[in-house]
Amino acid sequence: MDDLYRELIIDRYKNPQFRGQLDPADITFEDDNPYCGDHIRVDVRLDENNVVTEARYSGEGCSISQASADLLIEYIHGKTLDEVKALTKEDVLDLLGIQLGPVRLKCALLSLKVLKAGAYGLGEATDDLVE
Amino acid sequence: MDDLYRELIIDRYKNPQFRGQLDPADITFEDDNPYCGDHIRVDVRLDENNVVTEARYSGEGCSISQASADLLIEYIHGKTLDEVKALTKEDVLDLLGIQLGPVRLKCALLSLKVLKAGAYGLGEATDDLVE
Amino acid sequence: MLDVEKIRRDFPVLNREVRPGVPLVYLDSTATSQKPRQVLEAMDNFYRASNANIHRGIHTLAEEATASYESARRRIAAFINAAHAHEIIFTRNTTESINLVAYSWGRANLQAGDVIVLTEMEHHSNLVPWQILAAERDLRLEFIPVTEEGLLDLEAYHRLLDLRPKLVAFTQMSNVLGTINPAAEIIAAAHQVGAVTLVDGAQSVPHIPVDVQALGADFLAFSGHKMLGPSGIGVLYGRTELLEAMPPFLGGGDMIKRVELRSFTTNALPYKFEAGTPAIAEAIGLGAAVDYLSAVGMQAIEQYEREMIAYVLERLEEIPGVRVFGPAAEHKGAVASFTMPEAHAHDISQVLDELGVAVRAGHHCAMPLHTKFGIPATARASFYLYNTRQEVDRLVEGIYRVKHIFG
Amino acid sequence: MLDVEKIRRDFPVLNREVRPGVPLVYLDSTATSQKPRQVLEAMDNFYRASNANIHRGIHTLAEEATASYESARRRIAAFINAAHAHEIIFTRNTTESINLVAYSWGRANLQAGDVIVLTEMEHHSNLVPWQILAAERDLRLEFIPVTEEGLLDLEAYHRLLDLRPKLVAFTQMSNVLGTINPAAEIIAAAHQVGAVTLVDGAQSVPHIPVDVQALGADFLAFSGHKMLGPSGIGVLYGRTELLEAMPPFLGGGDMIKRVELRSFTTNALPYKFEAGTPAIAEAIGLGAAVDYLSAVGMQAIEQYEREMIAYVLERLEEIPGVRVFGPAAEHKGAVASFTMPEAHAHDISQVLDELGVAVRAGHHCAMPLHTKFGIPATARASFYLYNTRQEVDRLVEGIYRVKHIFG
Ligand SMILES: Cc1ncc(COP(=O)(O)O)c(C=O)c1O
Ligand SMILES: Cc1ncc(COP(=O)(O)O)c(C=O)c1O
C-alpha cells in the first residue's frame, strides 16, 4: 500500500508546487476523465524558440491525477514543444515510480492527455495521445 | 423412433382422410408456424344448432402438423361449436398419442390454433389459444 | 433469518485473497453482484450437455435448450409476479431495456412538446435515452427534485403532473443514495393523469420484493448481473397491452413471422422484441439466480439488508469527517456513498483495496446527482446477502487507514 | 492438418449420449457452435476469481475485470486484423450489430429515395433492419439475384451499382447454401460508386480467415456463439472514421463523457457504442474462443472443412431423391441444405435425431431464399472443426432410415 501511496505522491498531492493558472498563456487546455470526473487544466508559456518557460495546472481529482500533473508540469519546464509532443505514458509512470492498473492509469495519464492535446492544438483530447 | 413415428401418424400423413376445402363454409381460417413455414387452413360447416357437420383441412408441412390436423378434423365432426372452442392441447396430444418437445409441439398444435381462432372469430391466431 | 455462513459457501469468489493473506471483502454489489455456484453450474451444465440454438430446432439439444430458456422466462415472470411469461423480454441489461422503450414506445407515442418526468437521482441509463429522444422529437424533460436528505420531493412531483406528462420514468432504488422511492404511489399518481410509467428496477429487483402487478408498473427494467445472475442478460417487463401495440425495435431472426424481400410481419410476444440469437445460457443463468433468491426469500434478504445498513450508518457516523449521502436507514437499501475531507474518493477506494476491501469510487453513472450535491465523486460501499458485520468492521478500519495516510 | 481427435476431446458436449447408447452427432454448427472447455473455463474462472464491473472500479477485481475485457477486445481485433482495438464494438450478436449500423449510420446518412443493395440470400438479420429503415425513410431496397446454382449474379450486381447505392450489405457466407461470396470484389465495386459496405460475417468469421483490411470492409458483423464463444456476445467492426462520425445508438452508462440533466457528451470509441454493463464474461469467453481458433489456425480449419464438404456432397449425391441446394464444393463452406421427396424437413430432422444426428430443419431465417427456390423448408447439416467423416456416414445412414420410414 505505502508502495502505491509513496510519499512523493502524497506529498505532491498535499503540497503541490505547480498548481495555478497562467494568463496569458500560449497553450491552455482542459479535459476530464469521464469515469471519475477528475478534471485537469494546463497553461503553458513558450519563448520564441518554443521552449517551455512557465507552466501550471489546475483542477481537481485524486492524488494520482493531481500528483502526476504536478510532476509532469515540473518536468516540462525547459523542454521544447516538440519534446512535449513526444512525451509518452512511460515518462509519466517513470515520474510517479509506481505500477498502476488500467483504471488508475487513466487518472495518472489525464494530465499528459490534456497537455498533449494542447501542444498539438487539437479540438479534443483522445486516448491515442497517451497509448 | 418408431414410437414417435407411430404408424398412425405416418399413415394419416400419407393417406389423409380429411384433406380438402369446403366452399361455402361457416368457418374458414388459416395460419402458419413462423418457425418452419408449416401452413394449415381449416374449413368448417355448422348446422342450425352449431354442430359441426362437415370439416376439412388443407396446407402443407411435416407429418406431425398434417397428421394432427387430419385427426383433429375427424374428431370435431358432431361436436358443438362450444365444444370446439373448449378443445385443449391435451386433446390433440391424446389423439396423437405421443410425447413432443416444445418445437414439435408447435407443429402438432398448429391446426388446433387455427381451428380455435376460427371458432372464436378472431383476427389472429395466438399461442394463448393452445396453452 | 439468513444463514449467511451457508450462503457465503455458495459464492466461490468470496474465498479469494486479493493479495496473499488479504482476503476479499466485496462491497461493490451495486455495481455487480457475485454469483453463486448454482448459477455458474446451471450455465456450465447447459454448455456441457445441451448447448444448441433455440426455437427452430427439432433435435434433442435444441428442444432441451428451448425448454430451459423458456422455463427461465416463466420463473423470472413469477419472480416479479408478471401476469404472463410473454411480458418478460430478454435484453442485455437495464440500459438496453430502457432504450427499447425509448426507441419503440417512445418514437411511436411521443410528439413535439410532450413532457417526460424523470428524477434528479436517475442513473445515466434512465436519462440519456430520454435526452436522445427529447432532442430528436423536441420533447420536454422535467425532473422530480431530490431533497437535501436524499428523498424525492413528492409535492414537486404532484405539481409536475399538472403538465400532463406522457411518461413518468424513475428508479425504484437509487444506486448512490440507496433511497427506496414510493413506487406504487408515484405510479398511481402518474396513472391518474394518464401517464405511462417506467420503473428502473436495476437496484430494487435484486434487493427487495418487487411485484409488478401490485405496483401497477407499465414497464420495469432490470439487469441479471446485479441479482446473482451472469453478465449479458437483462429484462424488460412490459404490460401485454403496451407491448402488443409497440412497433418492433431490432429487426432480424426470430422476431418475424414471415419475411419477403421487401416486407415482414412480426412474431408474437415476447419474440417480437428478441431479434437474433438471444443470450441463451445467460437467461438460464438468470433463471437459476431467481431460484436462488427465491429459496433464500426476498423478504428475508430485505430484512437482512435493513439491519446491515443500520449498522453501517451507525459505524460510519462515528468517524469524524465522513459524510454519508442519502436518507436515514429506514428509507434506504444497503448502499452507503460517502466522502472524506482528507481524500478523494479514488484514494479512499485505492487504500481500501490494499486492505482487500472493494468499494467503488466515482460518480456511479449519476453525474447530475453528484453535481446537485456539489461533489465530483463519492466512495460507495454496498452490501448484499453474502456480506457480514465483520466486513463492515473491515471497511471502518480501512477508512481509519485512509485518515492516517492522507490526514 | 487438424488433429480432430484431440480437438474433440476439448468439447465436453461431444461425449453426450442423446439417449442411452445413442451418441450425439452434432451437425448444427451453423445455428450455433459447441464450446471447448477452454472457453467455458475462461468464463468460469472469471466468475470464480475476478468478477466485477469494469471501467469505473479501482479495486483489484475491477482492475482485473477491465484488463481481461479489454484484452479480449484486442485479441478479437487482431483475429480479424482490425487496425485498432477501438474498432471492435461488443454487441449481443450479429443481429444487434447490423441494427446498430441501421439505426446509427443509417438514420444519419440515408434519405428518401436512397438505394440500399442487399442480396436474395440474406439472413433475416440482414434484411429486416433495412426493411424497417426503408419504411421509415422511404428508401429503395434492391437485391443481387441468386442464380439457380446458388451464386450471386455479379453482372446483375454491376447493373445495380448504376443506381448509385449508398450502402451495399451482403453476407460473406450463406447460412443455407454455404456459398462463399467474393467479398473483396463486391466491396471494391461498391467503393467505386461511393457506397459504404457492410459484411455479414456471421458464417464467414467462424469458418474462414477474414481480414477486414484486406477486404476493405467498412462494417463487419459477427456472433460469438457461432465461433466457439458463448451466447450473448457479438461484434460490430467499423472503420474508425465511420464510427467516429456516427451518432450514438443506445444511451446510458459508459457511453457518455459528461451528463447533465438535459444533455450529455459522448465518450470516445469504442465506449460510445457500449451503453450499460456489457457482456463482460462473454467477451472474455469470446477472447478465449479466438485464441482457440488461432491456435488451430483458420487456414487449417478452412482446408479441413473444404475436404469435409466435398465428402458430404459426394455421399449425399449418391442417395436417390436427395436434392442439395447451393453451389459445388469449391464455392462453399461446410453447409449442406437438402430436401427429400418422401419427407418434410421436420420429419427428416426428427428421424435423424432419433439416431443422435442433430440437423436443423426449416427456413433457417432465410425465407425469401426458400421462397425463391419454391420450398418452405430444408434440412440442413453443417460441419465444423470437430466433425468427422464417420459422422457424415451416420448422417447418410439416417437419411436412408428416413426413406425407409416415409418411403
Ligand atoms: C448469415 C447469418 N447472418 C446473421 C445471423 C444471425 O446471427 P445471430 O442470431 O447470432 O444474430 C446468422 C445466424 O443464424 C447467419 O447465419
Ligand atoms: C439504478 C440503476 N439503473 C440502471 C443501471 C444500469 O444497469 P446496467 O449497466 O446493467 O444496464 C444501474 C447499474 O449501475 C443502476 O444502478
Side-chain angles (χ1 to χ4, degrees):
Chain A
M1 179 179 91
D2 304 62
D3 197 33
L4 180 53
Y5 284 88
R6 283 184 46 183
E7 261 163 59
L8 175 66
I9 291 171
I10 303 281
D11 182 53
R12 285 294 185 129
Y13 177 58
K14 290 192 193 165
N15 310 300
Q17 289 163 34
F18 294 88
R19 250 190 111 80
Q21 299 191 351
L22 301 175
D23 186 11
D26 298 297
I27 296 173
T28 294
F29 202 87
E30 56 190 317
D31 199 13
D32 27 48
N33 179 345
Y35 294 116
C36 59
D38 280 8
H39 184 85
I40 293 280
R41 165 176 159 166
V42 298
D43 297 294
V44 179
R45 285 192 189 140
L46 303 167
D47 69 11
E48 64 286 2
N49 299 319
N50 272 342
V51 170
V52 176
T53 54
E54 188 86 64
R56 290 292 179 277
Y57 78 97
S58 52
E60 47 184 320
C62 63
S63 62
I64 305 273
S65 74
Q66 304 301 304
S68 62
D70 205 54
L71 290 161
L72 181 67
I73 293 300
E74 171 170 38
Y75 183 69
I76 62 168
H77 278 82
K79 296 261 183 301
T80 65
L81 188 59
D82 284 342
E83 285 169 328
V84 168
K85 287 181 182 170
L87 289 170
T88 65
K89 157 172 139 177
E90 277 66 39
D91 294 319
V92 173
L93 294 181
D94 285 350
L95 290 171
L96 285 170
I98 51 171
Q99 293 284 333
L100 292 170
V103 178
R104 293 308 316 261
L105 200 57
K106 290 201 195 289
C107 303
L109 298 179
L110 178 60
S111 50
L112 179 64
K113 198 165 105 173
V114 167
L115 177 65
K116 287 182 74 173
Y120 278 105
L122 301 179
E124 214 189 355
T126 60
D127 283 345
D128 319 0
L129 291 170
V130 297
E131 260 158 21
Chain B
M1 179 178 93
D2 305 62
D3 197 35
L4 181 53
Y5 283 88
R6 282 184 47 182
E7 261 163 58
L8 174 67
I9 291 171
I10 304 282
D11 182 52
R12 285 293 185 126
Y13 177 56
K14 290 192 193 164
N15 310 301
Q17 288 163 36
F18 294 88
R19 250 191 112 82
Q21 300 191 349
L22 301 176
D23 187 11
D26 298 296
I27 296 172
T28 293
F29 201 89
E30 57 190 314
D31 198 14
D32 26 48
N33 178 345
Y35 294 116
C36 58
D38 281 7
H39 184 85
I40 293 280
R41 164 175 159 167
V42 296
D43 297 291
V44 179
R45 282 188 191 146
L46 303 167
D47 69 11
E48 62 287 1
N49 300 318
N50 271 343
V51 170
V52 176
T53 54
E54 188 86 62
R56 290 292 180 276
Y57 79 96
S58 53
E60 47 183 321
C62 63
S63 62
I64 306 273
S65 74
Q66 304 300 305
S68 63
D70 205 55
L71 290 161
L72 181 67
I73 294 299
E74 171 170 39
Y75 183 69
I76 63 168
H77 278 84
K79 296 263 183 300
T80 65
L81 188 58
D82 284 341
E83 286 170 328
V84 169
K85 287 180 182 171
L87 288 171
T88 64
K89 156 172 139 178
E90 277 64 40
D91 294 319
V92 173
L93 295 181
D94 284 350
L95 290 171
L96 285 170
I98 51 171
Q99 294 283 334
L100 292 170
V103 178
R104 294 301 325 253
L105 201 56
K106 289 201 195 289
C107 304
L109 298 179
L110 179 59
S111 50
L112 180 63
K113 197 165 106 174
V114 167
L115 177 64
K116 287 182 74 173
Y120 278 103
L122 302 178
E124 213 189 354
T126 60
D127 283 345
D128 319 1
L129 291 169
V130 297
E131 261 159 21
Chain C
M1 258 301 291
L2 293 194
D3 183 348
V4 182
E5 280 318 307
K6 180 159 165 284
I7 287 171
R8 288 179 68 84
R9 283 196 293 278
D10 289 330
F11 288 80
V13 81
L14 298 181
N15 294 322
R16 165 88 193 257
E17 295 192 337
V18 167
R19 262 166 298 283
V22 182
L24 172 66
V25 174
Y26 187 75
L27 304 183
D28 194 19
S29 294
T30 290
T32 199
S33 74
Q34 295 302 341
K35 327 298 175 198
R37 61 183 170 72
Q38 288 84 342
V39 167
L40 303 182
E41 284 163 12
M43 294 193 287
D44 210 52
N45 289 343
F46 169 71
Y47 281 127
R48 285 168 194 266
S50 307
N51 174 63
N53 212 326
I54 56 169
H55 291 315
R56 288 152 300 171
I58 285 164
H59 57 78
T60 304
L61 266 54
E63 293 271 14
E64 290 174 0
T66 305
S68 303
Y69 179 76
E70 292 302 335
S71 155
R73 192 195 306 275
R74 284 192 297 275
R75 280 137 61 216
I76 293 161
F79 185 72
I80 58 164
N81 195 31
H84 306 283
H86 66 236
E87 295 177 324
I88 301 296
I89 315 282
F90 285 122
T91 61
R92 178 170 40 250
N93 49 29
T94 304
T95 303
E96 191 191 10
S97 298
I98 296 173
N99 279 275
L100 195 168
V101 177
Y103 271 99
S104 170
W105 180 87
R107 279 164 178 67
N109 290 282
L110 300 177
Q111 288 149 17
D114 281 348
V115 173
I116 295 178
V117 168
L118 307 168
T119 88
E120 288 180 348
M121 63 168 78
E122 295 313 305
H123 187 280
H124 296 164
S125 293
N126 200 26
L127 287 174
V128 181
W130 308 116
Q131 293 177 349
I132 293 175
L133 187 60
E136 197 182 303
R137 287 290 167 95
D138 204 11
L139 310 176
R140 185 168 152 197
L141 303 181
E142 293 296 336
F143 297 86
I144 309 176
V146 172
T147 66
E148 200 45 41
E149 210 195 329
L151 298 172
L152 289 183
D153 178 344
L154 292 180
E155 276 182 36
Y157 171 50
H158 282 97
R159 284 193 301 275
L160 287 175
L161 290 179
D162 290 344
L163 301 173
R164 305 271 140 178
K166 288 278 168 33
L167 175 74
V168 175
F170 66 97
T171 187
Q172 193 174 7
M173 188 191 295
S174 161
N175 66 316
V176 177
L177 307 173
T179 317
I180 298 176
N181 292 315
E185 191 184 320
I186 293 171
I187 290 168
H191 283 167
Q192 267 185 348
V193 302
V196 162
T197 54
L198 179 146
V199 178
D200 176 348
Q203 294 305 334
S204 57
V205 174
H207 296 280
I208 62 176
V210 172
D211 176 331
V212 285
Q213 295 189 72
L215 286 178
D218 297 306
F219 295 108
L220 172 75
F222 55 100
S223 297
H225 68 94
K226 294 186 198 281
M227 52 191 286
L228 312 187
S231 55
I233 187 89
V235 170
L236 174 67
Y237 158 84
R239 274 200 304 111
T240 302
E241 250 175 83
L242 285 162
L243 292 177
E244 278 191 339
M246 280 156 61
F249 172 40
L250 303 181
D254 273 355
M255 54 68 74
I256 55 84
K257 195 159 185 170
R258 273 191 167 273
V259 180
E260 296 173 34
L261 283 175
R262 289 184 176 81
S263 65
F264 69 97
T265 53
T266 50
N267 201 345
L269 290 176
Y271 313 111
K272 174 166 121 183
F273 292 109
E274 294 183 358
T277 303
I280 303 171
E282 292 73 16
I284 292 169
L286 183 54
V290 302
D291 292 347
Y292 191 95
L293 290 170
S294 301
V296 176
M298 288 308 296
Q299 233 127 28
I301 292 171
E302 181 183 25
Q303 179 60 26
Y304 183 75
E305 293 189 20
R306 255 179 210 293
E307 290 161 19
M308 181 69 83
I309 190 65
Y311 181 64
V312 171
L313 295 184
E314 180 193 317
R315 292 294 326 262
L316 291 184
E317 273 155 23
E318 83 197 12
I319 311 173
V322 167
R323 176 176 171 207
V324 183
F325 293 81
E330 69 263 33
H331 295 297
K332 74 188 251 170
V335 179
S337 297
F338 62 97
T339 54
M340 296 172 67
E342 300 88 346
H344 185 276
H346 270 188
D347 293 315
I348 300 173
S349 173
Q350 182 91 46
V351 172
L352 289 173
D353 182 59
E354 305 282 330
L355 300 168
V357 180
V359 304
R360 198 144 286 243
H363 52 61
H364 316 299
C365 293
M367 283 181 97
L369 183 66
H370 281 77
T371 306
K372 163 132 195 169
F373 283 107
I375 38 167
T378 51
R380 181 184 70 190
S382 57
F383 302 82
Y384 208 1
L385 71 170
Y386 38 65
N387 290 117
T388 66
R389 290 191 164 217
Q390 290 87 312
E391 291 183 317
V392 178
D393 299 338
R394 295 278 306 283
L395 168 67
V396 171
E397 276 166 45
I399 292 174
Y400 279 107
R401 179 92 187 124
V402 175
K403 290 180 92 69
H404 172 78
I405 296 180
F406 285 89
Chain D
M1 257 300 290
L2 293 195
D3 183 347
V4 182
E5 280 318 309
K6 180 159 165 285
I7 287 171
R8 288 178 69 83
R9 282 195 295 277
D10 288 331
F11 289 80
V13 81
L14 299 181
N15 294 322
R16 164 91 193 254
E17 295 192 336
V18 167
R19 263 168 299 282
V22 182
L24 172 67
V25 175
Y26 187 75
L27 305 183
D28 195 20
S29 295
T30 290
T32 199
S33 74
Q34 295 301 341
K35 327 298 175 197
R37 61 181 171 73
Q38 288 84 341
V39 167
L40 303 182
E41 285 163 10
M43 293 192 288
D44 210 51
N45 289 344
F46 169 71
Y47 281 127
R48 285 168 194 267
S50 307
N51 174 64
N53 212 327
I54 55 170
H55 290 316
R56 287 151 301 169
I58 285 163
H59 57 77
T60 304
L61 267 54
E63 294 271 13
E64 289 174 0
T66 306
S68 304
Y69 180 75
E70 293 302 334
S71 154
R73 193 195 306 276
R74 284 192 297 275
R75 281 136 60 215
I76 293 161
F79 185 72
I80 58 164
N81 195 30
H84 307 282
H86 66 235
E87 294 177 324
I88 302 297
I89 315 283
F90 285 122
T91 62
R92 178 170 39 249
N93 50 29
T94 304
T95 303
E96 191 192 10
S97 299
I98 295 172
N99 278 276
L100 195 168
V101 177
Y103 272 98
S104 170
W105 180 87
R107 278 165 180 67
N109 289 281
L110 300 177
Q111 288 148 17
D114 281 348
V115 173
I116 295 178
V117 169
L118 307 167
T119 88
E120 287 180 348
M121 63 167 79
E122 294 313 305
H123 188 280
H124 296 164
S125 293
N126 200 26
L127 287 174
V128 181
W130 308 116
Q131 292 176 350
I132 293 176
L133 187 60
E136 197 183 304
R137 288 290 168 96
D138 204 12
L139 310 177
R140 186 169 150 196
L141 303 181
E142 293 296 336
F143 296 86
I144 309 175
V146 172
T147 66
E148 201 45 43
E149 211 196 329
L151 298 172
L152 289 183
D153 179 343
L154 292 180
E155 276 182 34
Y157 172 50
H158 282 98
R159 284 192 301 274
L160 288 175
L161 290 180
D162 291 343
L163 301 172
R164 305 270 142 181
K166 288 278 167 28
L167 174 74
V168 175
F170 66 97
T171 186
Q172 193 174 7
M173 188 189 297
S174 161
N175 66 317
V176 177
L177 307 172
T179 316
I180 298 176
N181 292 316
E185 190 183 322
I186 293 171
I187 291 169
H191 283 168
Q192 266 184 351
V193 301
V196 162
T197 55
L198 179 146
V199 179
D200 176 347
Q203 295 305 333
S204 57
V205 174
H207 295 281
I208 62 176
V210 173
D211 176 331
V212 285
Q213 296 189 72
L215 285 178
D218 296 306
F219 295 109
L220 171 75
F222 56 101
S223 297
H225 69 93
K226 293 186 198 281
M227 52 191 287
L228 311 188
S231 54
I233 188 88
V235 170
L236 174 66
Y237 158 83
R239 273 199 305 111
T240 302
E241 249 174 84
L242 286 161
L243 292 178
E244 279 191 338
M246 280 156 62
F249 172 40
L250 303 180
D254 273 356
M255 54 68 73
I256 54 85
K257 194 159 186 173
R258 274 191 164 273
V259 179
E260 296 173 33
L261 283 175
R262 290 186 177 79
S263 65
F264 69 98
T265 53
T266 50
N267 200 345
L269 290 177
Y271 312 111
K272 175 165 121 184
F273 292 109
E274 294 183 359
T277 304
I280 303 172
E282 293 72 15
I284 292 169
L286 183 54
V290 302
D291 292 347
Y292 191 95
L293 289 170
S294 301
V296 175
M298 288 307 297
Q299 233 128 29
I301 292 171
E302 180 183 26
Q303 179 59 25
Y304 182 75
E305 292 188 21
R306 256 179 210 293
E307 289 160 19
M308 181 69 83
I309 190 65
Y311 181 64
V312 171
L313 295 184
E314 180 193 317
R315 292 294 325 264
L316 291 184
E317 274 156 21
E318 85 198 10
I319 310 174
V322 167
R323 176 176 171 207
V324 183
F325 293 81
E330 69 262 33
H331 296 295
K332 76 189 249 169
V335 179
S337 297
F338 62 96
T339 56
M340 297 171 66
E342 301 88 346
H344 186 277
H346 270 189
D347 293 316
I348 301 173
S349 173
Q350 182 91 46
V351 172
L352 290 173
D353 181 59
E354 305 282 330
L355 300 168
V357 180
V359 303
R360 198 144 284 244
H363 52 61
H364 316 298
C365 293
M367 283 181 97
L369 183 66
H370 281 77
T371 306
K372 163 130 195 173
F373 283 107
I375 38 166
T378 51
R380 181 184 69 189
S382 57
F383 303 82
Y384 209 0
L385 71 169
Y386 39 64
N387 291 118
T388 65
R389 290 192 163 216
Q390 290 87 313
E391 292 182 317
V392 178
D393 298 338
R394 295 277 306 283
L395 169 68
V396 171
E397 275 165 46
I399 292 174
Y400 279 108
R401 179 92 187 124
V402 175
K403 290 180 94 69
H404 172 78
I405 295 179
F406 285 90

